Amino acid sequence: GVPVPGVSWGGRQHRRHLVQHPGQARRKKLVEVAEAWASGGQPPFDETPIEQARLFGASEPDLAALRTKLQAAAASEPVAVLPECWFAVHVFFAMSTQWHWAAGMESRRVGLQYAALPVVMSALRNLPYRRPLPELLPQLQVMESAALAALQG
């Protein structure tokens, strides 16, 4: 793939690189990018090795050291983005300040404000791999759903 510098959203620089990557499942990659965004650029990682070490009697300091090592390894891996998803990823990042919030005991995001979408699409009109709205909207909805699930734990 072709490394692309990190993307800024909400005033934060994404800590991982995005890589245009042909040949992998579109939906899975969109979900992966959205989950990385939702975790502040810190990707989820497989905790199986930690659980296995715990079963074999590893101490808490050893488990903490293993967790740190696994997190660092996951953070150094680029997120692959298919060319046909490239525009959707950039639009999602640009829309990251456009969330509807539900008020109550605990405020939480409930979805993107799609009224801002035409303005965002216009601002990003010169990006490569631009997609028309009928193709873009389902991709954004996949990312929105994955981000909400990751944010809500």
Side-chain angles (χ1 to χ4, degrees), residues 61-84:
D62 288 342
L63 293 173
L66 178 58
R67 177 180 301 281
T68 300
K69 189 176 188 177
L70 291 171
Q71 286 173 327
S76 69
E77 288 294 315
V79 176
V81 178
L82 296 167
E84 61 266 22

Side-chain angles (χ1 to χ4, degrees), residues 4-138:
V4 178
V7 176
S8 176
W9 62 77
R12 248 181 339 184
Q13 182 69 23
H14 188 17
R15 295 180 207 141
R16 297 172 72 197
H17 289 285
L18 299 176
V19 177
Q20 292 181 9
H21 192 283
Q24 293 192 8
R26 228 185 332 204
R27 182 178 178 86
K28 182 178 177 186
K29 290 300 161 187
L30 290 171
V31 167
E32 187 178 319
V33 170
E35 287 173 345
W37 172 86
S39 64
Q42 293 300 317
F45 64 93
D46 182 10
E47 295 203 20
T48 304
I50 295 170
E51 295 306 317
Q52 290 172 341
R54 182 175 282 120
L55 289 174
F56 285 104
S59 67
E60 286 304 316
D62 288 342
L63 293 173
L66 178 58
R67 177 180 301 281
T68 300
K69 189 176 188 177
L70 291 171
Q71 286 173 327
S76 69
E77 288 294 315
V79 176
V81 178
L82 296 167
E84 61 266 22
C85 299
W86 196 242
F87 188 64
V89 168
H90 282 278
V91 171
F92 180 78
F93 289 160
M95 293 280 294
S96 68
T97 59
Q98 302 299 316
W99 288 94
H100 281 291
W101 289 79
M105 296 283 282
E106 290 184 31
S107 63
R108 62 184 175 86
R109 290 175 174 96
V110 293
L112 289 170
Q113 297 184 45
Y114 285 101
L117 186 56
V119 173
V120 170
M121 287 181 67
S122 176
L124 300 176
R125 68 184 166 274
N126 293 325
L127 281 179
Y129 303 108
R130 182 174 167 81
R131 295 285 188 244
L133 185 59
E135 289 180 36
L136 175 67
L137 191 57

